């Protein structure tokens, strides 16, 4: 996508997030890579607004077992996660993390109600 198109998307998203009544955010990052600039921007928005956030490290099935924890640690460090910040290792293919994500989302919904 061109730089101009990315900027247009950014303005559109910023407008949406300013008007929407978001009560919980789910930031999906690729477990294989360091979080991107866009990931950092969204994470920063959640922090600045005080909106609760869950971070889902997707594509866990694409990593070898010894790569998992170092990659999760890289995500924690890059996003400057604090104790208690939710980071859920997740694989849509294998179902890893699915129950944990559902339970956390249900818990957040109950708190809102």
């Amino acid at each position: 996508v061109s730089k101009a198109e990315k900027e247009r998307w950014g303005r559109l998203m910023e407008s949406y997030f300013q008007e929407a009544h978001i009560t919980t955010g789910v930031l999906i990052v690729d477990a294989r890579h360091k979080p991107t600039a866009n990931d950092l921007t969204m994470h920063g928005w959640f922090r600045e607004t005080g909106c609760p956030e869950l971070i889902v490290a997707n594509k866990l099935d694409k990593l070898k077992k010894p790569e998992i924890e170092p990659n999760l640690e890289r995500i924690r460090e890059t996003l400057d996660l604090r104790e208690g910040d939710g980071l859920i290792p997740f694989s849509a293919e294998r179902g890893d993390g699915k129950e944990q994500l559902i339970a956390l989302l249900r818990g957040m919904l109950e708190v809102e109600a």
Side-chain angles (χ1 to χ4, degrees):
V1 176
S2 72
K3 185 177 179 181
E5 186 66 10
K6 284 182 183 179
E7 289 173 1
R8 188 180 76 76
W9 288 353
R11 288 188 304 275
L12 182 66
M13 288 173 57
E14 187 174 329
S15 172
Y16 172 78
F17 285 118
Q18 287 175 348
E19 295 173 14
H21 298 287
I22 298 173
T23 56
T24 301
V26 177
L27 177 62
I28 301 171
V29 298
D30 190 326
R32 301 172 297 173
H33 307 289
K34 183 177 180 177
T36 66
N38 288 336
D39 295 332
L40 289 167
T41 298
M42 283 305 310
H43 178 64
W45 184 87
F46 288 124
R47 278 211 173 150
E48 287 173 20
T49 61
C51 182
E53 171 192 33
L54 296 174
I55 298 144
V56 176
N58 195 24
K59 300 186 181 180
L60 198 67
D61 53 277
K62 305 291 185 196
L63 294 172
K64 294 177 181 150
K65 197 166 189 144
E67 296 174 319
I68 293 173
E69 194 49 47
N71 283 32
L72 293 175
E73 186 56 32
R74 181 173 56 186
I75 292 168
R76 285 184 195 97
E77 288 175 4
T78 303
L79 296 177
D80 191 27
L81 297 184
R82 300 174 280 222
E83 187 71 31
D85 286 345
L87 175 62
I88 302 167
F90 191 87
S91 168
E93 189 172 299
R94 293 191 315 232
D96 298 344
K98 178 182 173 183
E99 294 304 319
Q100 182 184 6
L101 178 59
I102 290 169
L104 287 170
L105 287 171
R106 281 189 177 141
M108 292 177 138
L109 289 171
E110 289 172 6
V111 168
E112 290 174 27

